[in-house]
């Protein structure tokens, strides 16, 4: 193999390089293209077939050009010989796949060898070849790819082939015997549960049980298989199973000399070894309710539970399925339990503990014990009165058996613990809204809502409406919650005239969806209300706090919550707020999305809003929002102190304006300072979504909005959060004007100008900045005027208005001396340097060095970083990339993790340019990709456009004109609507072709 590539289809699509590293495939279209070619390795796949594969049989008009672009990307993925490996061969493309490169081919080679060895009864070779074939599997073939890839038939064929290889391997293992023999039983039991009608696995399990000294269980496997085949298919087991059955019967008789019934039970076996507290002659329990119809999704979780519960162990396996109301816990438990019936031939017990059943009181452990003992045949008059004795009797009855127990809807661990068996042959599935973390040794499975695809599949199955797809609004409006989805589907099934689109509009148009999510005895609201009502009626302080917290959450309706904010909403300390949040998680009314961060599911959010509306007046709701805004404004002040260096900028933003609420100073004093700038930056990012939501809603009513935005805008701009900053600042501007607060209005105009500058809209920024300067002149605020003039000089220079820029900066320099403000003086010299760069780059370097000297004297990170960055750009203007490079590198080193995105992005652009112009194309491309990733993470389209321009120049230098043009087009799209001269240059380059 010249390049050592390997392709994997036996699982999610994967490509390995020569070093074994997984190569990132990228877009879904490239994945679909590669799959289509790998399905026909070494053969020509027509262009039309490829278009069908990429666009699900409906290619757009631009499909031909797009296909060529995807082929280009795939060739790059394939490495240096990509163009030779993937060739255009009329009427399509041919992908060369060498021997040993495609796992499907390797699997088929091992399969052929295993089949031959099995037929020749060469058991060692059969095991070796079969094991090698199975080792190639990583999951479902082509997992994660849409069905339109056209590989359904191949997947079915491969899965059937895998089952055959499994049979051959286990057959070889049984023939070879040895220490491994005992370990085959749980593996085969799991396969039998997964494939209840596959006779080969039943035969193997029978023989494995028999050869490990468990003939009765082996005969029970045969009995259950025979019953299933007769009931479901109307046929008897095949010859191979009958032969194994006879072998077990013959050897059983010859060894014991005792009679064995045809079903594998001995005549003297009834109740032997079992305690008999007045047991009635009861049939073995088979209490499972019917398996849920239309069970959908949950494949990985189901497989996990089947493996866990079917495994041999020294103690009973206990699995806890947990999740919010309506998420499908009981359905999953019953689906899995039915799949394990053959594994537990002594019976299946089921009891609903009513931990969260509307209108029902949870069963006590004593009630549950009595019910289970009666189900096992114990007579009521002779049941032990003491709970401990009853629990002991239950364990004794179950100890020698292989019994499966389903404890549905448990309230808490104390309700479950006395009901657990002690015998190693038993297993228990518990469902609960609580994770039951106090239940030691349990295997926990937390259920989330269904995926979009599985939600749509459930809607289709229950409603009978085939047109419902994953993107239909009903999926989102039902919250992907199985209970809500079943209600929606039931309504559609009951009223054929009701279309899915009409029902979606009904759900979306009403104040709350919960009114429409009720049908017959199904109700999302009632399911959620059980937990809330129990909390409200509880004697425990944490429970009552949790009920109040849910109402506050519903009233405020923010994306997420933490203990500090909730403590203020509840009027308690943070310890009690944390306990309340933990209780809401315990009863599945909240999810902990990250450590210390909580959010409700969408339907719980609706329920919380209803709860708040019933418990709080409009005035109380407004009071909650004011409490939140006061806390956010206080914390924002602390963040500003930690993130912005001492100086006029920080002092000015912390200075009170006429509309500032009188409580703010005390609010700031009541919250602790941040320990570090990093902690402050993390807080800003964590709370930003909440801040945006509050500010947007209350800009017209709260005086805290202009204050909060003024305090947080500078840290946000430094981190490149342009979109969020624009939303906040526009709201603050409206609020400041409503309050007639001129200083607050000036700051909002200044910050909005900064946003427009970061978006590359210099003229818009200049107009806004001039509005702020007019206010500061009227107020006589010399410090703000000086900073505003500095920004104005910078903007004018970037717009090519050099004379006006110089005048503004020289005036600013005079102000800095009057104010004795070395910080502004350093910034002014920096901006003067940027101005001189257009006419005298050597003189520009001198100005930047003066700025650097002041920055080093002050120990100011941003001034020092900016100076080095600007000196680097001046050297680039002089055509000296070697001299520029160390300044850009030093600038990034100084900046470190300071979080100043505007400065970092400019420096990284300069670094890419310097590397490109000195001929280091490889490192330039790497640095450019880093910058593109950082810009994408922040949604900074302007920086993205500038970076793509640099990338296109690199591609053009490499002779890749097609990719260069693609990057130019992407760059021009990103720079659309900006004043950047780069956009004009890009237009010229594209026009040149």
């Amino acid at each position: 193999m010249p390049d050592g590539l390997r392709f994997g289809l036996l699982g999610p699509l994967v490509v390995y390089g020569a070093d074994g590293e997984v190569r990132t495939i990228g877009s879904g279209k490239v994945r679909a293209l590669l799959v289509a070619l790998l399905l026909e390795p070494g053969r020509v796949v027509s262009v039309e077939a490829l278009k069908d594969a990429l666009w699900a049989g409906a290619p757009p008009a631009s499909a031909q050009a797009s296909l060529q672009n995807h082929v280009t990307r795939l060739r790059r993925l394939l490495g240096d010989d990509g163009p030779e490996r993937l060739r255009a061969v009329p009427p399509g493309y041919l992908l060369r796949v060498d021997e040993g490169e495609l796992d499907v081919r390797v699997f088929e080679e091992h399969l052929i060898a295993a089949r031959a060895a099995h037929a020749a009864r060469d058991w060692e070779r059969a095991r070796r070849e079969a094991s090698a074939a199975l080792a190639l599997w990583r999951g479902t073939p082509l997992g994660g790819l849409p069905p339109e890839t056209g590989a359904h038939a191949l997947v079915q064929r491969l899965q059937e082939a895998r089952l055959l290889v499994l049979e051959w391997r286990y057959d070889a293992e049984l023939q070879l015997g040895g220490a491994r023999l005992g370990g085959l039983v749980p593996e085969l039991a799991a396969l039998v549960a997964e494939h209840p009608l596959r006779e080969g696995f039943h035969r193997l399990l029978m023989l494995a049980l028999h050869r490990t000294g468990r003939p009765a269980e082996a005969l029970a496997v045969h009995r259950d298989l025979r019953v299933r085949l007769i009931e479901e298919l109307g046929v008897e087991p095949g010859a191979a199973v009958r032969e194994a059955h006879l072998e077990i019967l013959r050897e059983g008789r010859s060894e014991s000399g005792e009679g064995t019934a045809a079903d594998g039970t001995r005549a003297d076996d009834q109740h032997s070894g079992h305690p008999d507290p007045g047991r009635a002659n009861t049939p073995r329990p088979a209490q499972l309710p019917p398996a849920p119809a239309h069970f959908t999704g949950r494949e990985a979780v189901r497989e996990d539970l089947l493996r866990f519960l079917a495994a041999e162990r020294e103690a009973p396996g206990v699995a806890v399925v947990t999740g919010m109301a309506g998420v499908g816990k009981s359905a999953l438990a019953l689906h899995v339990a039915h799949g394990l019936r053959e594994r537990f031939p002594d019976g299946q017990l089921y009891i609903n503990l009513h931990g969260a059943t509307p209108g029902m009181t949870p069963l006590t452990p004593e009630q549950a014990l009595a019910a289970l003992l009666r189900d096992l045949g114990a007579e009521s008059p002779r049941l032990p009165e003491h709970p401990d004795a009853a629990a002991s009797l239950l364990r004794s009855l179950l100890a020698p058996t292989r019994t499966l127990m389903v404890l549905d809807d448990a309230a808490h661990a104390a309700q479950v613990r006395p009901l657990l068996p002690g015998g190693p042959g038993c297993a228990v599935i518990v469902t609960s809204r609580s994770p039951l973390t106090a239940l030691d040794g349990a295997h926990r499975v937390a259920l989330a809502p269904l995926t979009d695809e599985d939600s749509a599949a459930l809607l289709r199955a229950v409603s009978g409406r085939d047109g419902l797809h994953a993107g239909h609004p009903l999926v989102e409006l039902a919250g992907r919650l199985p209970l809500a989805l079943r209600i929606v589907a039931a309504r559609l099934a009951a009223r054929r005239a009701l279309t899915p689109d009409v029902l979606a509009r009904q759900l979306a148009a009403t104040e709350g969806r919960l009114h429409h999510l009720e049908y017959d005895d199904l109700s999302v609201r009632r399911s959620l209300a059980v937990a809330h009502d129990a909390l409200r009626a509880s004697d425990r302080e944490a429970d009552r706090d949790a009920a109040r917290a849910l109402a506050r959450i519903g009233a405020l309706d923010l994306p997420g919550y933490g203990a500090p904010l909730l403590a203020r909403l509840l009027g308690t300390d943070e310890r009690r707020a944390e306990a309340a949040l933990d209780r809401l998680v315990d009863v599945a009314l909240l999810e902990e999305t990250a450590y210390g961060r909580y959010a409700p599911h969408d339907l719980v959010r609706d329920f919380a809003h209803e709860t708040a509306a019933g418990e709080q007046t409009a005035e109380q709701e407004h009071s909650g929002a004011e409490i939140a805004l006061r806390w956010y404004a206080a914390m924002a002040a602390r963040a500003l102190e930690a993130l912005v260096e001492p100086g006029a900028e920080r002092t000015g933003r912390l200075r009170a304006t006429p509309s500032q609420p009188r409580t703010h100073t005390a609010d700031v004093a009541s919250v602790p300072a941040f320990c570090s700038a990093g902690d402050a930056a993390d807080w800003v990012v964590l709370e930003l979504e909440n801040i945006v939501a509050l500010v947007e809603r209350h800009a017209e009513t709260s005086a805290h909005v202009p204050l909060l935005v003024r305090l947080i805008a500078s840290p946000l701009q430094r981190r490149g959060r342009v979109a969020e900053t624009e939303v906040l600042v526009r709201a603050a501007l409206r609020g400041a004007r409503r309050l007639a607060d001129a200083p607050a209005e000036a700051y909002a105009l200044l910050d909005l100008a900064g946003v427009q500058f970061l978006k590359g809209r210099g003229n818009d920024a200049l107009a806004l900045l001039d509005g702020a300067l007019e206010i500061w002149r009227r107020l006589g605020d010399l410090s703000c005027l000086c900073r505003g003039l500095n920004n104005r000089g910078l903007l004018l220079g970037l717009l090519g208005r050099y004379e006006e820029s110089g005048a503004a900066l020289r005036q600013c320099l005079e102000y800095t001396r009057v104010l004795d403000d070395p910080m502004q003086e350093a910034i002014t010299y920096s901006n003067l340097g940027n101005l001189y760069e257009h006419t005298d780059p050597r003189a520009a370097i001198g100005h930047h060095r003066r700025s650097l000297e002041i920055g080093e004297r002050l120990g100011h990170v941003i001034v020092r970083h900016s100076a080095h960055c600007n000196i680097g750009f001046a050297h680039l203007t002089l055509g000296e990339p070697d001299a520029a490079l160390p300044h850009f590198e030093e600038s990034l080193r100084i900046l470190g993790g300071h979080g100043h995105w505007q400065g970092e992005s400019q420096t990284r652009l300069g670094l890419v340019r310097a590397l490109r112009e000195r001929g280091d194309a490889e490192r330039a491309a790497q640095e450019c990709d880093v910058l593109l990733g950082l810009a994408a993470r922040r949604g900074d389209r302007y920086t993205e456009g500038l970076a793509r321009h640099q990338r296109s120049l690199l591609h053009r230098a490499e002779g890749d004109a097609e990719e260069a043009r693609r990057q130019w087009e992407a760059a021009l799209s990103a720079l659309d609507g900006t004043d950047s001269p780069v956009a004009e240059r890009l237009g010229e380059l594209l026009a040149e072709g």
Side-chain angles (χ1 to χ4, degrees):
M1 291 179 286
D3 50 12
L5 285 179
R6 285 186 295 119
F7 304 97
L9 299 181
L10 297 176
L13 174 65
V14 68
V15 178
Y16 299 98
D19 54 0
E21 289 292 317
V22 175
R23 294 190 177 180
T24 302
I25 297 176
S27 73
K29 289 288 189 286
V30 174
R31 298 174 72 85
L33 173 61
L34 179 55
V35 168
L37 292 164
L38 287 173
L39 292 179
E40 301 288 343
R43 290 189 289 271
V44 176
V45 184
S46 72
V47 167
E48 294 307 312
L50 292 174
K51 288 180 185 177
D52 286 343
L54 267 64
W55 286 281
S62 60
Q64 185 70 36
S66 295
L67 175 60
Q68 291 172 355
N69 287 335
H70 295 312
V71 168
T72 300
R73 294 191 189 101
L74 180 53
R75 283 171 172 162
R76 282 202 302 273
L77 171 72
L78 297 175
D80 294 337
D81 74 336
E84 190 276 330
R85 180 183 276 274
L86 175 53
R87 293 183 293 117
V89 179
Y93 291 86
L94 180 148
L95 177 64
R96 192 192 79 235
V97 179
D98 296 328
E99 184 179 352
E101 288 187 335
L102 180 59
D103 61 358
V104 170
R105 285 181 168 177
V106 178
F107 170 78
E108 289 172 343
E109 290 167 4
H110 286 301
L111 179 146
I112 292 168
R115 179 191 290 123
H118 187 269
R121 306 180 69 79
D122 184 350
W123 302 119
E124 186 60 53
R125 182 165 173 251
R127 178 171 64 179
R128 185 172 64 253
E129 292 293 343
S131 297
L134 294 169
L136 295 166
W137 283 66
R138 296 171 288 106
T140 302
L142 296 173
L145 286 172
E148 53 264 29
T149 52
H152 178 72
L154 173 67
V155 171
Q156 294 292 100
R157 179 173 64 80
L158 288 171
Q159 289 178 324
E160 178 60 29
R162 176 178 173 271
L163 296 179
L164 279 173
V165 173
L166 275 169
E167 289 185 21
W168 296 338
R169 190 189 74 180
Y170 282 116
D171 215 350
E173 297 266 20
L174 283 170
Q175 297 297 333
L176 292 168
R180 165 115 171 96
L181 199 58
L184 300 184
V185 171
E187 296 174 20
L188 287 166
L191 286 168
V192 163
E194 186 178 355
H195 305 280
L197 296 175
R198 195 171 184 94
E199 294 186 32
F201 290 146
H202 285 79
R203 169 186 165 274
L204 292 164
L205 178 58
M206 290 164 57
L207 292 173
L209 287 166
H210 172 55
R211 292 173 190 178
T212 53
R214 296 157 69 177
E217 293 175 62
L219 292 168
V221 171
H222 175 268
R223 179 190 64 224
D224 291 345
L225 171 64
R226 182 171 180 270
V227 169
R228 181 185 289 274
L229 289 173
I230 291 171
E231 288 179 353
E232 295 189 24
L233 302 179
V235 299
E236 289 280 349
V241 172
R242 293 198 300 271
E243 183 180 335
H245 183 226
L246 289 172
E247 175 186 330
I248 297 165
L249 290 174
R250 283 195 301 269
E251 293 185 17
R253 290 194 186 100
S254 64
E255 289 174 8
S256 65
E258 297 172 354
T260 307
D263 65 355
T265 58
R266 284 173 34 169
D268 61 320
D269 192 41
Q270 277 197 321
H271 305 314
S272 62
H274 289 232
D276 186 10
R279 281 185 58 157
N281 290 323
T282 57
R284 65 177 186 175
Q287 299 179 338
L288 295 179
H294 310 303
F295 186 82
T296 305
R298 312 288 193 202
E299 288 85 357
V301 173
R302 182 176 65 87
E303 294 298 324
D304 175 51
L305 284 171
L306 286 170
R307 278 194 301 272
F308 173 78
L309 293 165
E312 295 287 339
R313 51 174 56 84
E314 296 180 358
V318 179
V320 176
V321 180
T322 182
M324 67 175 291
V327 80
K329 303 180 292 295
S330 298
L332 174 64
L334 290 174
H335 183 75
V336 169
H338 276 278
L340 290 168
R341 282 181 303 173
E342 292 83 357
R343 183 74 182 79
F344 296 95
D346 292 316
Q348 304 87 41
L349 292 164
Y350 172 87
I351 185 166
N352 191 332
L353 298 173
H354 297 300
T357 305
M360 298 284 291
T361 302
L363 293 186
T364 64
E366 292 80 6
Q367 290 171 321
L369 280 166
L372 289 169
L373 287 170
R374 283 193 295 270
D375 293 340
L376 289 170
E379 296 178 357
S380 296
R382 301 181 63 179
L383 293 180
E385 293 184 7
H386 196 281
D388 289 348
S392 296
L393 176 58
L394 179 65
R395 290 193 295 273
S396 298
L397 291 173
L398 293 174
T401 71
R402 301 185 71 83
T403 301
L404 177 65
M405 184 184 292
V406 177
L407 305 178
D408 201 7
D409 194 14
H412 43 72
Q415 186 189 33
V416 170
R417 202 175 285 113
L419 313 180
L420 299 180
C426 296
V428 185
I429 307 175
V430 186
T431 72
S432 178
R433 297 188 189 183
S434 166
L436 305 182
T437 50
L439 212 58
D440 294 337
H443 177 70
R444 289 177 179 80
V445 174
L447 291 190
L450 295 173
T451 65
D452 289 349
E453 292 74 14
D454 289 339
S455 298
L458 182 58
L459 283 174
R460 289 193 299 271
V462 179
S463 70
R465 307 289 183 96
D466 293 335
L468 290 164
H469 54 83
H472 196 280
L474 283 176
V475 170
E476 180 77 23
L477 289 165
R480 302 173 190 82
L481 204 64
L483 173 60
L485 291 163
R486 286 181 179 274
I487 292 171
V488 166
R491 296 189 65 193
L492 290 172
R495 295 180 59 192
R496 304 306 295 179
L498 178 64
T499 68
D501 291 346
V502 169
L503 181 53
R505 285 197 293 273
Q506 290 176 357
L507 287 168
T510 53
E511 176 66 22
R513 286 168 282 182
L514 300 183
H515 172 70
H516 291 283
L517 294 178
E518 294 188 357
Y519 188 81
D520 200 357
D521 63 338
L522 303 176
S523 169
V524 172
R525 180 191 283 112
R526 287 200 301 272
S527 294
L528 296 171
V530 172
H532 177 254
D533 292 346
L535 292 172
R536 191 165 48 183
S538 173
D539 294 330
R540 296 175 59 196
E541 177 184 74
D543 287 358
R544 294 194 304 275
D545 284 346
R548 288 197 304 128
L550 190 67
R552 301 297 188 276
I553 286 168
L556 201 55
D557 194 20
L558 295 178
Y561 298 86
L565 172 59
L566 192 64
R568 280 149 186 84
L569 294 172
L570 292 175
T572 65
D573 56 37
E574 290 187 21
R575 178 196 60 77
R576 278 182 62 178
E578 266 185 29
L581 288 165
D582 286 344
R583 285 296 294 134
L584 289 172
V585 171
D586 285 344
V587 297
L589 289 173
L590 281 185
E591 300 174 60
E592 190 170 16
T593 55
Y595 179 72
R597 198 69 179 174
Y598 304 84
H601 181 274
D602 285 350
L603 296 180
V604 176
R605 193 180 291 278
D606 283 3
F607 175 76
H609 188 68
E610 283 188 3
T611 302
E615 295 182 5
Q616 293 187 320
T617 64
E619 183 179 344
Q620 287 173 319
E621 283 196 30
H622 176 72
S623 171
E626 277 296 293
I627 290 169
L629 284 164
R630 284 177 61 179
W631 180 72
Y632 276 117
M635 293 297 293
R638 292 299 196 191
L640 185 75
E641 292 169 355
L643 292 167
V644 177
E645 302 78 2
E649 167 75 3
R650 187 166 88 175
T651 302
R653 289 185 180 272
L654 290 171
R655 187 186 304 127
T657 66
S659 69
Q660 180 170 303
R662 289 192 299 272
T663 59
H664 178 64
T665 302
D667 290 340
V668 175
S670 71
V671 299
F674 287 101
C675 297
S676 67
D679 289 346
D682 290 344
W683 179 86
V684 169
V685 172
L686 182 67
E687 299 292 348
L688 181 55
E689 201 175 1
N690 280 2
I691 291 171
V692 171
L694 278 170
V695 165
E696 282 193 292
R697 288 179 208 155
H698 301 285
E700 310 301 329
T701 58
S702 176
H704 281 92
V705 166
L707 167 64
L708 169 57
V709 175
R710 184 174 79 246
L711 294 170
I712 206 166
S714 182
L716 284 178
Q717 285 193 45
R718 290 186 177 197
R719 275 150 189 80
R721 304 302 289 260
V722 178
E724 296 96 333
T725 307
E726 182 168 12
V727 171
L728 293 173
V729 173
R730 289 191 184 280
L733 183 58
R734 295 196 304 273
R737 286 173 172 166
R738 179 183 61 83
L739 295 164
D741 186 338
E745 180 183 355
Y747 266 107
L749 288 167
L750 172 71
D751 290 331
L752 193 52
V755 168
Q756 297 304 319
F757 169 72
L758 289 172
K759 292 169 69 176
R761 295 172 179 168
N763 284 306
D764 293 343
L766 185 62
L768 291 162
L769 182 57
D770 284 346
L773 286 167
E774 183 183 341
I775 293 172
W776 283 324
R777 285 193 187 95
R778 191 170 70 243
L779 296 174
D781 190 330
L782 197 60
S783 177
C784 287
L785 196 58
C786 178
R787 283 179 283 134
L789 282 170
N790 229 329
N791 290 340
R792 191 171 197 274
L794 173 65
L795 277 172
L796 288 166
L798 291 172
L799 292 170
R801 295 161 62 175
Y802 303 132
E803 188 174 336
E804 294 172 82
S805 173
L809 292 173
R810 283 188 288 274
Q811 186 179 3
C812 184
L813 203 55
E814 293 176 11
Y815 284 154
T816 63
R817 288 158 186 164
V818 172
L819 293 166
D820 190 22
D821 187 343
M823 173 70 180
Q824 282 301 310
E825 183 182 3
I827 294 172
T828 308
Y829 277 122
S830 176
N831 290 337
L832 279 168
N834 291 335
L835 176 63
Y836 273 88
E837 189 181 313
H838 300 283
T839 56
D840 188 350
R842 293 288 176 205
I845 292 173
H847 285 298
H848 291 317
R849 290 201 180 280
R850 291 189 71 176
S851 178
L852 180 59
E853 289 168 8
I854 298 171
E856 287 177 341
R857 188 167 71 246
L858 296 175
H860 199 286
V861 169
I862 302 301
V863 170
R864 291 162 54 220
H865 135 76
S866 297
H868 278 290
C869 177
N870 290 330
I871 291 170
F873 274 109
H875 279 298
L876 287 179
T877 303
L878 289 164
E880 299 170 351
D882 288 335
L885 183 61
H887 286 286
F888 290 124
E889 292 173 334
E890 179 65 8
S891 177
L892 286 176
R893 187 197 65 77
I894 292 170
L895 193 59
H898 207 71
H900 193 294
W901 172 241
Q902 180 186 342
E904 181 182 354
S905 61
Q906 288 300 306
T907 306
R908 289 190 179 278
L909 275 168
L911 179 62
V912 172
R913 271 190 60 191
L915 290 166
R916 178 176 60 79
E917 291 177 16
R918 71 195 297 263
D920 192 346
E922 183 177 358
R923 189 181 163 204
Q926 291 171 352
E927 292 292 347
C928 196
D929 288 344
V930 169
L931 177 56
L932 281 167
L934 292 171
R937 202 176 306 154
R938 290 164 172 80
D940 186 348
R941 294 278 288 162
Y942 181 60
T943 298
E944 179 194 343
L946 298 177
R948 288 196 182 280
H949 173 51
Q950 293 298 317
R951 200 74 169 88
S952 67
L953 295 175
L954 285 165
H955 284 300
R956 186 172 67 169
E958 293 169 356
D960 190 347
E962 182 181 353
E963 185 60 23
R965 184 176 184 83
R966 195 183 72 79
Q967 291 289 348
W968 283 334
E969 289 171 347
L972 190 58
S973 172
L975 295 173
D976 184 41
T978 71
D979 301 318
S980 172
V982 174
E984 184 178 345
R985 175 62 181 144
L986 286 167
E988 295 170 358
L989 288 167
L990 287 168
E992 293 169 5

